Amino acid sequence: MHKKILSLGAKIFIGGILGAGMLLGSCRKDNKGQNPVTPEPVAEDSLKYLMYQIMQVTYADGGRNNAAGLPTYYWYSLVKQRNPLDAQYPNADTLLSRMKADAPLDRYSFIDRDGALTNKLMNGVSEQAFEAASADYGFDYGIVAGAPGKVRLFVLYADKNSPSGQAGVQRGWEITSVNGNTSFDDTRASKLQIFNDIFNSKSVNLVFRKPDNSTTPPQTFSSSGTYAINPVLYDTVYNVNGKNVGYFVMYTFSSVVNSSGQTTATKTALDQVFNKFASKGISSLIVDFRYNGGGAVSTAEYLDNAIAPASASGKVMYKYIYNDKLMQNLEATKLQSTVNFSSSTGSMALDKIFFITSGSTASASELTLNNLKPYFLNNLQLVGQKTYGKPVGFIDFEIAMYVNSVKKHLADLYAINFETQNANGGGGYYTGIDVNVTATDYVNVPWGDPSDDNLKKIFSYLTTGSYSRAAPEGRTAVSTESNLRELIPGAKPMKEFNGMVEFRKERIKNL
């Protein structure tokens, strides 16, 4: 029997024998293009077994009787003891659902079987999953009310580097045809069909109507190929009351450093934005996270260091809280307990910072703003809608199986491993973080347009010191508001990942 035990801060192997010559392991992967080497039922049993051991027994040695007993699941003590190979769990997803049912706060843990999410978050590269039909065309859409019994579809955003972004698709464009279907019923079945046609397909044919009422020719988007994610959808500098105000929109937290330790396109894009703001001498900053479901915590740390005032230099940014057994063994596991601000904060010398949020603002984006609260106090304001509510996160675990030294990727496990708190102990926002003032997300308003209700509120605050509904001079007239389109809450399944993942720097160096 082969066994190699390393700390969580390095590459992890879980040694255990379920069948002759079969080694089960957890490590980072390079699995694209590899073929299955064992029957699927054996692979599924392996996945169930290892997932249970990692979460409930120990990450170190696969759960043998002499195990130290360091489960990684944050709520492990609430989970009933189970036999992961019992026939009542036909697959790992069923087993995980039963385990989550024992932990009432866990609406987050999941299994990523094809590895595309990990590559997207850690390496900043979106690619077609090698074993899945799920698509990533680089845009998302929202559903609004139409004629009686009908709904309309509007583009919420498009990544500049994606197939849709390269085709010129913009926020506010209306989708008028999906694979030839031009009439969208206000029924669950119809809306689910639209979602599957767009996001669970190898390709989709779309027609768009632009704000000037012109329509595009039918365009077929294919999910094959890759693109480097650019999380910055839009940025600009306004002059409000004689002062420069920076504004940027960010839709995901792809990592600023990839698995090889190299700078990603994400960091390049963010560097460009902050260099622009610094050159313009902005005094206030507006960060638009309304569709940001989070991602890599390294990117949250990057943003916080770029935004924080000089008074935060070297002080606590946030703290990790793990389960009791891991907290008692931090030195042995080399788990990080506290993250501090760098010594180079305060370069922009901001007076005020505003975050635009919604029910889709989750996890790493919530972490980013929560970390800054102790250092901006009343000068940090939230505008829009209450956030999603996810003060917990994941450490990435890949589960792989080896047969005759040949690796077969089984899944990436995202099960809750930690909770976070800011320097003042603030956290626990499972029901979301409240805003200072509500604003409506009109989805057919282009990015940066002053008629955006969120921006109107912020401009009013910067001009008058209060969140008046009255538009500042030169802004959108009331007569145009009948053309604004508001999302129907919960009208379609959530597309984007919601979470924050700790891709350990120590692990990355060992890949």
Side-chain angles (χ1 to χ4, degrees):
M1 179 182 298
H2 174 73
K3 180 174 79 170
K4 185 174 183 181
I5 302 176
L6 299 176
S7 72
L8 253 182
K11 186 158 46 177
I12 298 168
F13 286 83
I14 299 179
I17 300 298
L18 291 189
M22 182 164 63
L23 171 68
L24 305 178
S26 173
C27 58
R28 193 70 266 138
K29 68 175 176 292
D30 181 14
N31 57 283
K32 300 304 177 221
Q34 293 191 14
N35 295 318
V37 293
T38 58
E40 288 306 312
V42 175
E44 194 66 26
D45 279 349
S46 302
L47 176 57
K48 289 189 294 182
Y49 174 82
L50 274 176
M51 181 185 75
Y52 188 81
Q53 305 311 308
I54 292 168
M55 292 175 65
Q56 291 299 113
V57 184
T58 176
Y59 68 83
D61 65 3
R64 284 175 292 281
N65 292 331
N66 61 349
L70 297 177
T72 64
Y73 187 47
Y74 189 57
W75 294 294
Y76 80 93
S77 63
L78 299 178
V79 177
K80 299 172 184 176
Q81 187 172 354
R82 301 174 189 274
N83 173 8
L85 302 179
D86 194 297
Q88 67 176 301
Y89 312 121
N91 51 51
D93 302 275
T94 304
L95 174 60
L96 182 59
S97 293
R98 301 280 182 84
M99 294 170 70
K100 287 169 59 178
D102 295 336
L105 290 176
D106 193 355
R107 52 192 172 113
Y108 319 106
S109 297
F110 67 99
I111 300 169
D112 176 27
R113 289 179 177 267
D114 54 53
L117 175 62
T118 300
N119 201 40
K120 184 173 184 178
L121 295 180
M122 186 167 70
N123 293 320
V125 175
S126 184
E127 61 183 334
Q128 171 62 20
F130 75 110
E131 287 179 342
S134 57
D136 184 359
Y137 308 114
F139 78 95
D140 199 2
Y141 71 91
I143 297 178
V144 306
K150 301 292 181 180
V151 295
R152 298 169 68 182
L153 315 177
F154 284 85
V155 174
L156 300 180
Y157 63 82
D159 188 303
K160 300 172 188 175
N161 293 341
S162 70
S164 59
Q166 290 296 299
V169 176
Q170 299 287 324
R171 170 179 170 82
W173 287 18
E174 184 176 4
I175 303 172
T176 58
S177 173
V178 179
N179 291 339
N181 178 18
T182 59
S183 180
F184 311 122
D185 294 333
D186 188 12
T187 64
R188 183 180 183 278
S190 174
K191 288 181 281 192
L192 185 59
Q193 182 64 52
I194 294 166
F195 182 87
N196 287 332
D197 285 347
I198 295 177
F199 294 128
N200 292 322
S201 62
K202 295 288 187 180
S203 65
V204 65
N205 185 274
L206 302 173
V207 176
F208 300 92
R209 178 162 50 225
K210 300 179 183 180
D212 63 2
N213 282 326
S214 65
T215 59
T216 67
Q219 302 177 68
T220 297
F221 295 94
S222 171
S223 60
S224 62
T226 66
Y227 65 91
I229 294 167
N230 184 341
V232 179
L233 299 171
Y234 181 86
D235 70 273
T236 192
V237 175
Y238 302 101
N239 187 278
V240 181
N241 234 22
K243 294 183 178 181
N244 285 343
V245 178
Y247 170 72
F248 76 104
V249 188
M250 186 173 172
Y251 81 95
T252 189
F253 274 52
S254 43
S255 180
V256 292
V257 178
N258 67 18
S259 60
S260 299
Q262 299 170 326
T263 295
T264 63
T266 292
K267 185 175 186 301
T268 300
L270 291 171
D271 283 343
Q272 291 172 348
V273 168
F274 286 112
N275 288 337
K276 175 180 179 178
F277 291 163
S279 69
K280 296 291 185 179
I282 66 170
S283 59
S284 297
L285 177 64
I286 305 168
V287 183
D288 197 330
F289 279 164
R290 73 182 78 179
Y291 305 131
N292 197 311
V297 297
S298 60
T299 305
E301 293 170 13
Y302 170 91
L303 289 172
D304 282 335
N305 280 315
I307 295 170
S311 60
S313 177
K315 295 182 181 178
V316 173
M317 180 185 290
Y318 67 100
K319 299 176 182 178
Y320 286 101
I321 302 172
Y322 308 95
N323 68 49
D324 60 335
K325 291 190 176 183
L326 291 180
M327 290 298 288
Q328 294 165 14
N329 290 274
L330 289 178
E331 184 176 354
T333 60
K334 302 188 185 305
L335 285 168
Q336 192 172 17
S337 60
T338 302
V339 176
N340 293 331
F341 284 97
S342 72
S343 59
S344 58
T345 61
S347 60
M348 288 192 292
L350 298 172
D351 294 329
K352 296 180 177 64
I353 180 168
F354 302 86
F355 286 94
I356 296 175
T357 63
S358 75
S360 297
T361 305
S363 209
S365 50
E366 291 172 303
L367 173 70
T368 300
L369 63 91
N370 191 54
N371 291 345
L372 293 169
K373 280 186 174 183
Y375 301 98
F376 278 100
L377 300 177
N378 293 331
N379 290 324
L380 186 152
Q381 301 273 303
L382 269 63
V383 177
Q385 303 290 329
K386 191 177 188 179
T387 68
Y388 176 76
K390 190 174 183 295
V392 289
F394 315 100
I395 297 173
D396 63 309
F397 284 96
E398 188 209 18
I399 302 178
M401 182 171 66
Y402 288 81
V403 176
N404 298 324
S405 299
V406 178
K407 176 183 174 183
K408 180 185 186 298
H409 169 73
L410 299 178
D412 288 316
L413 172 62
Y414 289 88
I416 296 300
N417 303 113
F418 60 83
E419 188 166 351
T420 63
Q421 294 181 349
N422 65 22
N424 289 346
Y429 38 83
Y430 288 97
T431 59
I433 303 174
D434 286 322
V435 295
N436 294 89
V437 64
T438 59
T440 303
D441 181 20
Y442 295 115
V443 297
N444 61 330
V445 176
W447 291 124
D449 191 308
S451 65
D452 182 301
D453 194 39
N454 296 274
L455 291 177
K456 285 200 295 185
K457 298 281 178 61
I458 294 170
F459 292 157
S460 174
Y461 187 92
L462 288 170
T463 303
T464 68
S466 66
Y467 290 113
S468 169
R469 283 199 61 86
E473 185 178 354
R475 305 302 181 191
T476 302
V478 175
S479 61
T480 67
E481 295 206 359
S482 61
N483 296 321
L484 299 178
R485 302 296 172 184
E486 184 179 354
L487 286 175
I488 301 173
K492 79 175 180 62
M494 186 177 294
K495 170 183 175 286
E496 290 298 327
F497 164 80
N498 275 353
M500 55 179 162
V501 187
E502 175 56 272
F503 296 110
R504 292 279 159 200
K505 297 179 178 65
E506 295 88 353
R507 292 177 64 150
I508 290 174
K509 290 190 294 186
N510 283 278
L511 300 181

